């Protein structure tokens, strides 16, 4: 720590949310694997007067791999619901650090008596040891203070992300925020930034709107039409155009996407109806299917019987069929199990070799083989663990706010977001889903919102549930929550490196000896503990490489 009579500065862990009071997680050194993103923060405060036009320099690393952000706060208006646990930073409405913003022409201000933070990320450094010096200056370019941070990049390489990881992209939300026509040239430039952001932070599978996704839509109402498959009806015959879908897939793969999940073929919370589908019928575009179309009615069954075989043939011809996963209905309850089974049986006639995924938490669906890879809510995994399930993934949304499970609400400490990586490894889980990467709407998409001011879907969901990035003029503003999730993915991949050296059983025994249990609830709830665990993983990798 550097302190004068008028200024303090110190290096701290990336997991701390600097909220105006003295930071606690001092950190001046760390190790990462080759190819891993390193992150730390520099906290500072002016003890005397407010300082304007503050500037900084970074020495010891340079180039495109270095990024410096200012951490900015947003309103956390709904920090906890009525049955939330107490593993949060604050249960009262407050401001919470989240946005990672580039310094603006307006200048940097060090407010009097208030701790603030820079967030520094470093990528693509060759193996070696780096001494990073971060210096802050006043408007007259006089040094206010500096800190040194030692970063060691280990020779072992972090492997490519091989998890099945999806954060649902809301394409209409991008169109609304930027005022651009869907899938226009200008729109696609922005969309590309969102895709690249998501891939950088762990996404491998992308929600693909063959037709407007039937999610978060009020019964009887419509969302903006987001449809990649062109449909024309001539008499009783359907013709399909996959050109726009092909361009979408190419754009996504250019951004690093590996897998695609076709949007749900039936509506959310019951699968009772068809999704919104616009058809050119006798030269006129009109909605032909939607809330007024029974899921297994003759009209929609005839449509699916025409569409699904042609989609399958087209995907096979493009070499993309093996990369696709298919959804039936989101979050089905036990009371509609037989209906879900009937929907699946009908669809599988035409997609007999496809893989099906859905967010669901009742083991019965998986036990009856109605879904290949269920995404199970983190607080509902007990029955899957008890039954020895091997092919389940996990998800969280606004409901996962108790039992101390991982989530990413603004009110939660960042280690609660990051812990998911080591938990997934220990439990043998290889997939994750979260519903809102960029959902800038009120509940049920009734109204567009400003994510810089409305973080809780206008009072319905806990702040931070519905998005983890912010719209920027030409792309995306990241968040500390998104970075913490990435750190969890990197923890998982580091464990894979260690597994190749000492075997999975030895790795799991090490994790259990360090306080983890084979569930998603029991673990030491402490940021310093998690940092220490990762240091131990890295050290064991180094030791076993030497041997």
């Amino acid at each position: 720590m550097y302190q004068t009579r008028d200024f303090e500065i110190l290096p701290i862990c990336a997991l701390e949310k600097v909220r105006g009071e003295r930071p606690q997680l001092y950190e001046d050194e760390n190790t990462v694997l080759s190819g891993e993103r390193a992150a730390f923060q520099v906290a500072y405060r002016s003890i005397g007067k407010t300082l304007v036009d503050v500037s900084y320099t970074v020495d010891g690393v340079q180039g495109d791999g270095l990024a410096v952000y200012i951490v900015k706060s947003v309103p956390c208006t709904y920090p906890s619901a009525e049955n939330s646990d107490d593993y949060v930073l604050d249960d009262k409405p407050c401001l919470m650090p989240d946005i990672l913003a580039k310094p603006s022409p307006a200048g940097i201000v060090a407010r009097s008596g208030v701790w603030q933070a820079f967030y520094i990320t470093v990528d693509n450094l060759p193996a070696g040891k780096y001494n990073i010096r971060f210096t802050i200056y006043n408007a007259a370019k006089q040094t206010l203070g500096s800190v040194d941070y030692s970063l060691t990049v280990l020779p072992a390489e972090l492997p490519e992300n091989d998890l099945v990881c999806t954060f649902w992209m809301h394409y209409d939300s991008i169109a609304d925020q930027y005022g651009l026509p869907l899938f226009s040239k200008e729109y696609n430039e922005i969309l590309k930034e969102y895709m690249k952001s998501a891939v950088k932070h762990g996404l491998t599978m992308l929600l693909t709107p063959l037709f407007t996704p039937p999610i978060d839509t009020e019964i009887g109402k419509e969302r903006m039409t987001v449809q990649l498959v062109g449909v024309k009806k001539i008499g009783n015959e359907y013709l399909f155009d996959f050109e726009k879908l092909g361009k979408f897939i190419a754009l996504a793969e250019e951004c690093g996407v590996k897998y695609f999940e076709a949007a749900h073929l039936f509506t959310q919370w019951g699968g009772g109806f068809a999704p919104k589908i616009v058809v050119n019928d006798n030269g006129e575009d009109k909605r032909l299917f939607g809330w007024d179309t029974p899921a297994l009615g003759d009209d929609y069954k005839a449509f699916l019987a025409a569409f699904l075989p042609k989609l399958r043939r087209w995907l096979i011809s493009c070499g993309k069929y093996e990369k696709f996963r298919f959804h039936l209905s989101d979050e089905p309850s036990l009371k509609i199990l037989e209906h879900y089974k009937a929907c699946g049986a009908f669809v599988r006639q035409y997609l007999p070799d496809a893989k099906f995924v859905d967010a669901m938490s009742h083991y019965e669906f998986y036990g009856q083989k109605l879904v290949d890879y269920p995404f199970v809510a983190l607080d509902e995994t007990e029955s899957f663990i008890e039954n020895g399930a091997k092919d389940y993934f996990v998800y969280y949304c606004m409901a996962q706010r108790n039992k101390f499970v991982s989530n990413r609400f603004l009110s939660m400490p960042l280690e609660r977001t990051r812990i998911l990586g080591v938990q997934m490894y220990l439990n043998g889980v290889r997939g994750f889903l979260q519903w809102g990467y960029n959902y800038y709407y009120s509940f049920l998409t009734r109204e567009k919102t400003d994510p810089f001011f409305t973080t809780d879907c206008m009072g319905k969901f806990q702040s931070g549930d519905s998005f983890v990035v912010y719209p920027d003029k030409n792309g995306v503003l990241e968040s500390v929550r998104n970075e913490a999730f990435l750190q969890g993915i990197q923890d998982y991949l580091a464990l894979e490196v260690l597994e190749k050296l000492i075997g999975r059983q030895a790795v799991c025994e090490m994790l259990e000896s360090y306080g983890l249990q084979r569930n998603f609830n029991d673990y030491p709830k402490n940021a310093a503990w998690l940092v220490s665990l990762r240091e131990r993983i890295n050290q064991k990798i180094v030791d076993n490489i030497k041997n």
Side-chain angles (χ1 to χ4, degrees):
M1 182 181 75
Y2 178 96
Q3 180 176 351
T4 66
R5 187 181 64 180
D6 299 321
F7 199 80
E8 287 184 278
I9 178 173
L10 68 156
I12 62 171
C13 178
L15 290 178
E16 182 154 12
K17 292 185 177 181
V18 178
R19 303 182 59 207
E21 298 179 352
R22 178 176 295 277
Q24 299 298 309
L25 294 177
Y26 182 88
E27 179 184 285
D28 63 0
E29 62 179 351
N30 201 1
T31 63
V32 294
L33 302 188
S34 295
E36 180 175 3
R37 168 174 286 184
F40 66 97
Q41 296 183 90
V42 173
Y44 63 96
R45 71 164 179 163
S46 174
I47 300 172
K49 62 182 181 180
T50 294
L51 303 174
V52 300
D53 291 328
V54 169
S55 59
Y56 65 86
T57 58
V58 185
D59 298 305
V61 292
Q62 54 188 327
D64 295 338
L66 173 71
V68 179
Y69 303 94
I70 296 172
V71 184
K72 293 190 173 182
S73 296
V74 294
C76 180
T77 47
Y78 188 5
S80 293
E82 62 278 0
N83 60 343
S84 298
D85 59 47
D86 62 356
Y87 190 20
V88 294
L89 296 173
D90 207 325
D91 61 1
K92 301 292 190 299
C94 59
L95 290 175
M96 199 62 78
D98 197 44
I99 298 172
L100 296 180
K102 287 289 189 179
S104 78
I108 302 170
V109 176
R111 301 194 300 275
S112 176
V114 178
W115 282 98
Q116 299 167 249
F118 291 99
Y119 194 103
I120 298 95
T121 63
V122 186
D123 293 284
N124 306 318
L125 288 179
K129 189 170 184 178
Y130 300 84
N131 184 63
I132 302 170
R133 171 161 290 186
F134 193 98
T135 305
I136 298 180
Y137 306 91
N138 64 16
K141 303 304 178 183
Q142 298 168 322
T143 299
L144 292 169
S146 64
V147 295
D148 291 319
Y149 189 90
S150 178
L151 176 64
T152 301
V153 181
L154 303 175
E157 186 169 352
L158 195 77
E160 187 176 329
N161 183 7
D162 58 353
L163 299 172
V164 176
C165 189
T166 177
F167 324 121
W168 285 352
M169 198 78 68
H170 294 268
Y171 303 97
D172 51 353
S173 191
I174 296 174
D176 268 335
Q177 287 291 323
Y178 293 87
L180 296 171
L182 275 162
F183 307 122
S184 63
K185 180 179 178 182
E186 295 79 9
Y187 175 95
N188 283 345
E189 288 301 312
I190 299 294
L191 176 59
K192 186 187 299 185
E193 295 304 310
Y194 275 80
M195 288 180 177
K196 289 192 295 187
S197 161
V199 169
K200 278 184 180 179
H201 291 87
L203 179 141
T204 58
M205 184 167 74
L206 185 65
L207 183 65
T208 304
L210 307 180
F211 307 113
T212 302
I215 49 178
D216 298 287
T217 306
E218 189 170 0
I219 294 175
K221 300 293 181 67
E222 296 182 15
R223 289 180 66 163
M224 181 189 300
T225 300
V226 183
Q227 180 172 323
L228 290 171
V229 176
V231 185
K232 181 179 290 187
K233 187 178 183 185
I234 302 176
N236 292 322
E237 182 182 4
Y238 291 103
L239 303 176
F240 301 98
D241 182 354
F242 298 109
E243 181 181 3
K244 189 178 290 186
L245 174 60
K247 291 180 178 179
F248 177 90
I249 292 172
L251 179 67
E253 290 186 328
E254 178 187 336
C255 295
V257 173
K258 296 179 179 179
Y259 310 107
F260 299 86
E261 50 179 326
H264 307 72
L265 295 170
F266 305 95
T267 50
Q268 193 172 23
W269 309 309
F273 304 93
K276 175 184 179 182
I277 300 176
V278 172
V279 177
N280 186 283
D281 188 3
N282 294 319
E284 180 184 356
D285 286 339
K286 57 185 179 182
R287 181 185 63 78
L288 201 60
F289 302 103
W291 287 113
D292 51 355
T293 310
L296 295 178
D298 291 342
D299 289 345
Y300 191 49
K301 287 169 70 175
F303 175 83
L304 290 177
F307 170 63
L308 294 175
K310 289 184 173 61
L311 173 66
R312 179 177 179 274
R313 285 197 294 270
W314 183 82
L315 289 173
I316 291 173
S317 71
C318 298
K320 307 301 180 187
Y321 187 61
E322 293 298 320
K323 296 185 175 184
F324 261 75
R325 305 293 180 264
F326 292 86
H327 286 286
L328 294 178
S329 176
D330 188 47
E331 297 184 315
S333 65
L334 267 183
K335 68 181 180 180
I336 66 120
L337 187 146
E338 292 303 318
H339 173 73
Y340 186 93
K341 183 188 296 185
C343 290
F346 181 81
V347 169
R348 287 178 188 268
Q349 295 178 82
Y350 307 105
L351 301 173
D353 44 1
K355 297 297 183 184
F356 286 81
V357 297
D358 265 323
M360 56 175 60
S361 297
H362 299 287
Y363 182 81
E364 290 82 350
F365 288 87
Y366 177 76
Q368 295 187 34
K369 302 187 185 306
L370 304 184
V371 61
D372 296 295
Y373 300 98
F375 286 96
V376 184
L378 279 179
D379 57 343
E380 300 290 346
T381 55
E382 291 93 339
S383 61
F384 287 80
I385 294 171
E386 291 169 0
N387 284 283
K390 300 297 183 184
D391 295 320
Y392 75 96
F393 301 153
V394 292
Y395 82 95
Y396 54 62
C397 64
M398 53 80 66
Q400 284 64 61
R401 54 187 181 241
N402 50 33
K403 298 183 181 180
F404 306 109
V405 295
S406 181
N407 212 315
R408 65 174 204 197
F409 302 149
L410 281 168
S411 62
M412 291 179 172
L414 292 173
E415 70 269 17
R416 186 167 179 173
T417 299
R418 178 173 172 175
I419 190 64
L420 183 63
V422 293
Q423 289 180 323
M424 286 174 59
Y425 179 89
L426 182 59
N427 287 282
V429 173
R430 301 192 55 76
F432 173 78
L433 178 152
Q434 210 286 341
W435 75 276
Y437 198 68
N438 63 317
Y439 185 79
Y440 310 132
Y441 290 116
S442 67
F443 175 57
L444 295 178
T445 325
R446 291 169 175 163
E447 185 176 335
K448 185 179 79 169
T449 61
D450 182 340
F452 296 96
F453 293 96
T454 304
T455 59
D456 60 3
C457 286
M458 297 185 75
K460 178 62 178 178
F461 300 147
Q462 289 98 306
S463 292
D465 179 46
S466 63
F467 59 84
V468 75
V469 294
Y470 296 79
D472 193 25
K473 181 179 180 181
N474 297 310
V476 181
L477 290 175
E478 303 293 354
S479 69
V480 296
R481 293 176 296 136
N482 215 15
E483 291 295 321
F485 184 86
L486 170 63
Q487 290 158 17
I489 293 292
Q490 292 179 156
D491 293 341
Y492 189 112
L493 299 178
L495 288 166
E496 287 190 331
V497 174
L498 184 57
E499 178 182 322
K500 289 182 179 179
L501 295 169
I502 66 174
R504 176 170 171 79
Q505 181 177 341
V507 175
C508 291
E509 289 174 355
M510 180 202 75
L511 293 176
E512 290 174 315
S513 72
Y514 219 69
L516 283 163
Q517 295 189 35
R518 297 196 188 219
N519 57 44
F520 291 90
N521 314 104
D522 298 309
Y523 57 96
K525 296 158 184 68
N526 180 283
W529 168 86
L530 185 52
V531 172
S532 174
L533 172 60
R534 181 56 202 276
E535 289 174 354
R536 184 173 181 178
I537 293 167
N538 286 356
Q539 187 59 54
K540 288 186 78 70
I541 290 171
V542 171
D543 291 344
N544 282 276
I545 288 176
K546 290 178 180 179
N547 295 333

